[in-house]
Structures are given as C-alpha cells and as structure tokens.
Amino acid sequence: FIRWIIENDRHDVSFLQCANPAAATQRGENSWTNASLLVKISDGAPGALVRAADVLIDDVPLRAAENRPYTDPASGEEKEYEEPFFVAMVDGTPVAVDINDEENPVFGDLLVDTTLPDGTRVKSGLQVVLEASREHTVAEWAEIVGIDEAALVEVATELTSYGKAAAVDIHRGVSQHTNGFYNVLGWYTVNMLLGNFDAKGGMVLASTYDTKGAGKGELFDVTKHEGKVSTFGISSIRHGVDYEKSTLFEGYPAKRNWYPLASDVYEEIIPSIGDAHPYPVKALVFYMGAPTYALPAGHTNIETLQDVEKLPLFIASDILIGSTSMYADYIFPDLSYLERWEFQGSHPTVPNKVQPVRQPVIAPIPETCTVYGQQYPISLETLILGIAERLTLPGFGRDAFGAGLDLTHPDHLYLRQVANLAFGEKPDGSKAVPDADARELELFGKAREHLPSEVYDPARWEAAVGAAMWPKVVYVLNRGGRFEDHEKAWEGDRLAHPWGKLLNIYQEKTAKTIHAGTGKKYPGYACHVPVQDFHGEPLDAYREGYDLALITHRTISQTKSRTIADPWLSALMPENGILINPTDVRRLGLHDGQQVKVVSATNPDGEYDLGNGRRHPMIGKVSATQTMRPGVVSFALGFGHWATGSNDVTIDGVLIRGEERRKAGVHANAAMWTDPAVKNTCLFDPIGGSVSFYDTWVRLEPA
C-alpha cells in the first residue's frame, strides 16, 4: 500500500509538507508530521534525526547551539544538551525547524536523498519509508501475503479516492504478532499518507471528560494523596527501562526481554516471577485476569503459579474460581459488571467527548464486610480498603482527600469522580451540567430503592459530594454518564477535539532503542520484519510437519473467559468448533463434526497439564466452512473450560457441582507456540509487548 500510494502520487503532499504547527495552521490542518525532517544515514542505515546545531554550512552551524553539557536545574545533574531544532530541506536548501513553532511556517521537501555541504548523508523521513516499501515490488508484496495484486491495487485505489474522508482502522489482530509493532506502524503510516488525522471521515482521537478533578478549584482532586510513596527500581516486567542502562546488564541476549517503549506487558508478569528476573517476589495480588486461559501458550504460567518457592503468596480477586485464580492461596470475591462502578472512557472511533459511568444496578451477591467502620460487599474495593486500614496507609481513611474529605467507603471515591465529571473542564464551573429537577431526583431515588443501604444510601451519597453538587451528580447518573451533543464533535470538516500534535512517520526514539534479545537497534519506520523469536531467529523449523495456520476469534455471545457463566448465552451457541475450509477437510481425510485434537511443535500432546493430576485435551469438532481461507483453522474464545464453574469444587466442606455445559467446545491457546529462546512464554512482540495469537502452525489429529 505504502509503495503504491507514494509512487502513484496518491499521498497528501500538502499535509505531509507541514513541518510545524504554523505550517499546519496555514494549510488548515490541526496536526503535522516529520515526513520532511532529515534523518542521518550511517553505514547505510537511518539513525537519529539531524539537529540544526550539528549541520555546518561553510563551517558555520545552521543554528548556534546552547551550552553543552549543561546542569539540569531540576535535578542538579550534569546532562548532555540536545538541540531542539531539526532540519528540513526547503526547495533544496537546509532549514532549521522548530517542530513546535506556531509563528514561522516551514514546508519541507518530502523525498530527499542527498549529502549536506558538510558531508553528512541524509534522507527525509518519507524517503526512508518509501525505500523500505521498495524492498519488494507491489506484486512481490502481494505474493508474500498471499493475495492477488489486482485486488491490492483495487483496494488501494478506492482507499485513496476520498481525500481525507477515509481511514484504516486496526485492532488487536494486526498487532498480535512478533512483528505487531511494525504492522501497526505500517497502517498508521498509510493514514498519515492519506492526511486524514483530525479530519471528518479520518482518524479520530478518543476524547473523554475528566473525572480526576485536578485543577478544578475547590472541587475533588482525587489525585491528591498525602504521604504517597514513589515507585523505585525496575518494574517486574522491565518496562520503561533500557536494558543496557540497568545494573543487570550482562551483554546480549538478555535473560528476558526489556520494554523501554511499552508498559502493561501482561504475558511477562508470571513468567518473570518464575525466572526471578529482575528479582524474586514474595506475593502477587491478581485482579480479574485469567492468563492461563486467555494468553497464547498460557499453560506455561501454571508451573510458576504452583511453586510456593517462586511465588510464596498468591492472592486473587475474582467473581468465580477461574482458570488462574484456582491456583491462588486466597480468593477474595469481587463484583460483577452489574454490581460495580466503572468509568470506561472512550475509544478512537467516537468523535464526541464522552465519559460513560457504570454504576450498581443490582444488589451484590457477595456478603458484606466492615472496613473503616462501614459496611460494603466484599470486593476489590474492600480488599484495598481493608489492607489500607490494617496497615494505616496514608491517603486512606479520615481526611484522605483533604480536611473533611474521607475515604472510608468506595462511594467517597466514585461519587466524587462523578461530581468532577458533572462540574466540567473549566475551573470556574461554567461547563457544569444542569441540576436535576424534582422529577429527576424522585426518579433517581425510586430506581435505587431495591439496593441495600451499604450500596445506596441517599444521605451518604449526598454527603460525599455536598448539597450543591448533588443535583448535578444525579443529572449525570440518570444518563449513565456525560455525553457531548452529537453536533459538537465537528468544527466544519475538522474534529472539535483534534490530536493537534506532531505525528512521527519516522520514530527517532524507536530507532535509538536496542532489542534486548539481539543487541541491534530497532528500525524507526514502517518496514517488513519477518516473524521471529526473541533472539531474532526464524521459526521455520517449528512448521515442519504442521500444515495449518492457527488463529482465534470471538463470537458475539462469548467475549471473555467469564462469559460462559451466563446460561442464556450458551443457549445461543452451546459449543464452538474448529473452523476449517472444506478443501482442507477433504485433503486431510476428515469429515464435518469429527472430533480432532490440535497439536503443535511446542505442544505435541495437544493438552493442558493443569498440574493437579488433571489434563485437559484440546479436542473439538471439525466445522467445515467457506468462511475460512484454505490452510487456516480457527476457534472461538470462551469455550472449553476446565475451571470457571465447569468442575466440582468443595468449599467449606460443601460440594459445588460443576456445569457440564461450561466444558463444551475447545480452547486451543496451549497449542500456540512458546518462544524457543525464552521457553516459558508465548511468542511476543519485543517492542510493544503484544502476544502472538496468529503466528502458530498446527496439525489436526483424529481424537
């Protein structure tokens, strides 16, 4: 797509030439790119962006540098000065660029491959991207991905036929490969070529109303936390830190991957505990998750979860005994989505500013407990408050948010967040919602009469936010949140809430980051990186004898590991199957409805070893369908449970029978490949941290 778009002049030149906000404003844009900024080429490879102070024209710097090194006034540390001015070619002449300049527009040349007067080899960001796309012809790219070239060109032609009113939307499937970061960057590069950011019909920034309250005068700043303890050291998943800058550096490859550019790397938590890297842990508190079920190769977590030397204490907060919480020393009950509070935010497909509020609508199932002298159902909130009370932690209890603002009940946090939402974004309250009238107040109370007092107490709720804010809180809760009027999403053909910032078609930060498994720097631009393991080795050997690409998908009636608990959903679809094209069914000598086992190079037995004497085979029914491409098989998430209410459990001497319907179908995540270099973890993207659901090859064996 990238090659075809640029070579056929289907890219938005006017947008891409804008090198700073002044240029963007002049051309009616909200955002701008670094497509025209120059990149230094060393040994044939793109590296850092060129700085103006480093470019000599007739032995004179393009822009005089500040003092370097310098003393950081905040920390007192000696630091190397980094020139903030970059360089673009304008009509063939190098020009210094302040990428935040709102007064002096710069429109840069887009396709630059030259040598500066001082001998520095440079290319523009867009030139680097174009050359990467020219690694193969359009026909060769089509052949690599197994599609018809004519179809690729037809779609690219249509996509580029609507100006800015077209966009590529991606989610999960694109990123969940070992090269997922570059897949995502590639498609966002296509969007940049279309110039569609902040435009009607183009890319949208998720925009949410604030609930935190910081800077809202006398309202509720829930970010204030007296006695807050700062984090220190390296995180247990090694995110936000360069391996080579740590005290654990011992050359390459590292023992496990490091994620300087990522966070929340879910698949790293338990295996890192198992390897005691970067350090051993004494306790793990786990909320809601089910990695043994939900992760590709999640069964590799089980050994660590059972090892009391590696994991001495495991506490889980869960609404049931799940496939991971079954290994916990203690399970604290939690609340379901109908029983709890939540602020879901938005998604970048919603142009309006919104903030939904999930709130209790049914009486909770768990029994109540007492924290800070108040009753509330056992839940994650009471677990946290109970620990805080026991340890007398600051930021909880009396005056937690300031004088007279206690945090002794979950209501104190959630209702004040709703009050912040109702107050609006202006410090003077000029954007506050209206007060609920008498009829709304009456409706509000009647709608909650069925809730127990520990959940809904009108006097306690009003006291938490004060009499002045109470009618506004009711106004928001009656509507399930705050939602901007539809017509306010746009100002003409532009977003009313734009990104309005620099877009990096060339990512210098990524280009400076070193892969902990190979010791090589990552490319800072959209390019094709083959599927590979942590050490950068190909995985061809894993494919030998396995001729079917395994993927997974979701069906609307089962979307999570927990949704099997709802019997009416099972009525819609009692079990899943292994979806496979009829040509593969005939080729393999199988038949529709036949029971087959899913096996792979890293799980030749085709089963989960649960570690408690039980084995759970990955066996399901063949489901022949033309919806699957030949050579590919898939299964829907949410079926084939071995816990989550599917098995018998004895609690306090009482036998709770499992439901057979929850076992129905197949769950084949354990067939997905483990990384041969790391071994106790699935294949993963070393930059963004996504897991690989779509790079495994398997074989189906008659069961």
Side-chain angles (χ1 to χ4, degrees):
F1 268 63
I2 292 170
R3 176 170 185 164
W4 186 90
I5 289 171
I6 298 175
E7 290 186 342
N8 287 275
D9 297 322
R10 307 284 282 195
H11 54 303
D12 189 337
V13 172
S14 177
F15 169 73
L16 293 167
Q17 284 178 331
C18 298
N20 58 16
T25 300
Q26 191 174 113
R27 291 192 172 172
E29 303 287 355
N30 300 98
S31 302
W32 60 101
T33 79
N34 65 359
S36 65
L37 297 189
L38 300 184
V39 181
K40 186 176 182 180
I41 307 299
S42 300
D43 299 323
L49 292 166
V50 177
R51 263 59 179 188
D54 297 326
V55 174
L56 298 178
I57 308 294
D58 296 330
D59 296 326
V60 178
L62 189 60
R63 181 182 177 277
E66 305 288 341
N67 293 326
R68 47 174 145 178
Y70 73 102
T71 301
D72 183 358
S75 64
E77 297 178 6
E78 186 98 335
K79 290 191 174 182
E80 186 70 19
Y81 169 80
E82 190 170 75
E83 164 67 34
F85 279 76
F86 299 91
V87 181
M89 300 293 279
V90 177
D91 297 328
T93 301
V95 172
V97 182
D98 177 355
I99 57 173
N100 298 306
D101 191 338
E102 298 179 357
E103 302 294 332
N104 305 291
V106 176
F107 303 99
D109 301 340
L110 291 181
L111 295 175
V112 177
D113 180 359
T114 190
T115 300
L116 296 177
D118 61 6
T120 303
R121 284 281 296 123
V122 296
K123 295 177 182 179
S124 61
L126 189 63
Q127 179 71 30
V128 171
V129 169
L130 174 60
E131 291 182 8
S133 76
R134 284 176 169 167
E135 181 183 349
H136 295 284
T137 66
V138 174
E140 288 169 344
W141 285 125
E143 183 180 0
I144 288 170
V145 296
I147 62 173
D148 183 70
E149 180 189 7
L152 186 155
V153 172
E154 181 182 356
V155 175
T157 302
E158 182 177 3
L159 178 67
T160 55
S161 298
Y162 304 101
K164 298 177 182 293
V168 179
D169 185 28
I170 54 176
H171 187 62
R172 297 213 171 180
V174 172
S175 67
Q176 291 175 330
H177 298 264
T178 66
N179 53 13
F181 175 86
Y182 291 102
N183 293 340
V184 172
L185 179 56
W187 285 116
Y188 272 89
T189 297
V190 170
N191 283 318
M192 282 186 261
L193 294 179
L194 296 173
N196 63 18
F197 286 82
D198 306 326
K200 184 177 286 188
M203 295 302 290
V204 170
L205 173 71
S207 184
T208 58
Y209 287 102
D210 173 64
T211 64
K212 303 301 182 186
K216 292 189 176 181
E218 299 302 315
L219 214 60
F220 309 111
D221 184 354
V222 299
T223 65
K224 273 200 309 189
H225 193 271
E226 297 298 328
K228 179 179 179 180
V229 178
S230 299
T231 58
F232 60 91
I234 297 169
S235 83
S236 63
I237 57 173
R238 304 165 305 285
H239 79 276
V241 179
D242 294 286
Y243 168 53
E244 64 276 7
K245 296 178 183 178
S246 75
T247 58
L248 297 178
F249 180 71
E250 294 179 345
Y252 302 100
K255 186 175 182 178
R256 299 189 67 85
N257 193 41
W258 291 59
Y259 297 92
L261 304 177
S263 62
D264 304 320
V265 186
Y266 190 56
E267 76 273 12
E268 275 292 332
I269 298 168
I270 294 170
S272 295
I273 292 172
D275 287 351
H277 186 70
Y279 40 69
V281 307
K282 293 183 179 179
L284 172 66
V285 181
F286 212 76
Y287 172 58
M288 191 188 285
T292 54
Y293 181 91
L295 284 176
H299 64 296
T300 56
N301 287 194
I302 293 174
E303 182 180 351
T304 295
L305 293 172
Q306 288 188 298
D307 192 328
V308 295
E309 297 297 324
K310 293 178 178 178
L311 183 57
L313 177 61
F314 179 23
I315 295 172
S317 172
D318 208 336
I319 63 172
L320 38 69
I321 301 176
S323 51
T324 299
S325 56
M326 64 183 279
Y327 298 101
D329 298 294
Y330 301 95
I331 302 178
F332 287 82
D334 193 26
L335 304 177
S336 73
Y337 73 100
L338 293 173
E339 302 165 307
R340 71 170 187 253
W341 292 88
E342 189 174 346
F343 300 85
Q344 296 99 327
S346 187
H347 191 273
T349 55
V350 180
N352 291 83
K353 197 168 194 174
V354 302
Q355 180 57 266
V357 180
R358 178 176 285 161
Q359 51 196 293
V361 297
I362 63 173
I365 293 173
E367 62 268 35
T368 62
C369 63
T370 303
V371 290
Y372 288 109
Q374 301 199 56
Q375 293 287 303
Y376 197 73
I378 299 176
S379 58
L380 176 69
E381 288 85 347
T382 50
L383 172 60
I384 293 171
L385 288 171
I387 292 172
E389 182 180 28
R390 175 68 174 172
L391 299 179
T392 62
L393 295 179
F396 295 88
R398 288 288 183 190
D399 302 327
F401 294 126
L405 299 176
D406 301 340
L407 179 53
T408 58
H409 192 286
D411 293 352
H412 293 151
L413 173 62
Y414 295 132
L415 287 164
R416 288 166 185 157
Q417 286 187 259
V418 177
N420 291 333
L421 178 59
F423 188 82
E425 310 294 284
K426 297 292 185 179
D428 61 0
S430 59
K431 295 295 183 180
V433 301
D435 288 352
D437 59 23
R439 179 177 172 275
E440 276 209 37
L441 289 166
E442 180 184 11
L443 176 65
F444 183 84
K446 285 186 175 181
R448 289 159 179 77
E449 287 177 344
H450 64 290
L451 294 175
S453 60
E454 57 266 17
V455 174
Y456 171 64
D457 180 334
R460 185 181 69 244
W461 280 31
E462 182 174 348
V465 298
M469 285 303 301
W470 177 241
K472 298 184 186 299
V473 167
V474 170
Y475 184 93
V476 169
L477 292 179
N478 272 353
R479 288 156 178 77
R482 185 166 182 176
F483 307 91
E484 183 180 55
D485 291 340
H486 185 266
E487 63 273 12
K488 292 183 179 179
W490 307 100
E491 293 179 357
D493 62 354
R494 313 299 298 179
L495 272 177
H497 313 291
W499 170 248
K501 297 177 184 176
L502 175 70
L503 297 160
N504 290 308
I505 203 166
Y506 183 84
Q507 298 185 350
E508 181 186 59
K509 189 174 182 180
T510 303
K512 287 183 175 181
T513 301
I514 298 175
H515 187 320
T518 66
K520 299 177 181 178
K521 291 181 179 178
Y522 292 112
Y525 50 92
C527 59
H528 174 57
V529 177
V531 172
Q532 56 193 20
D533 70 8
F534 173 51
H535 290 168
E537 298 296 328
L539 297 160
D540 297 341
Y542 272 15
R543 286 186 56 174
E544 294 179 9
Y546 301 93
D547 60 347
L548 294 168
L550 177 67
I551 65 173
T552 183
H553 65 278
R554 301 191 192 200
T555 179
I556 197 168
S557 60
Q558 296 290 344
T559 59
K560 296 286 183 181
S561 64
R562 302 176 294 279
T563 44
I564 194 66
D566 301 326
W568 51 89
L569 296 179
S570 292
L572 295 173
M573 183 175 173
E575 65 177 324
N576 65 351
I578 298 171
L579 305 187
I580 180 171
N581 189 277
T583 59
D584 287 321
V585 174
R586 291 190 294 270
R587 176 178 63 83
L588 297 171
L590 304 173
H591 60 81
D592 196 43
Q594 181 178 355
Q595 295 273 14
V596 292
K597 179 185 285 188
V598 185
V599 299
S600 69
T602 60
N603 194 333
D605 295 328
E607 62 186 17
Y608 283 81
D609 181 354
L610 303 181
N612 57 0
R614 294 171 56 205
R615 291 181 176 272
H616 185 78
M618 293 179 288
I619 295 175
K621 292 180 180 178
V622 169
S623 179
T625 170
Q626 292 288 354
T627 62
M628 293 304 299
R629 180 189 177 116
V632 182
V633 294
S634 186
F635 64 95
L637 174 78
F639 300 88
H641 288 276
W642 59 87
T644 319
S646 67
N647 58 313
D648 295 349
V649 177
T650 300
I651 302 175
D652 293 337
V654 178
L655 178 64
I656 310 297
R657 292 288 184 186
E659 287 188 291
E660 283 296 316
R661 69 173 183 84
R662 303 189 188 204
K663 298 178 182 178
V666 60
H667 186 64
N669 274 10
M672 295 177 184
W673 288 344
T674 57
D675 189 295
V678 185
K679 302 189 186 307
N680 63 354
T681 306
C682 60
L683 294 175
F684 57 91
D685 170 14
I687 303 182
S690 288
V691 295
S692 167
F693 277 104
Y694 305 106
D695 298 321
T696 293
W697 290 74
V698 299
R699 185 172 65 243
L700 300 183
E701 297 180 347

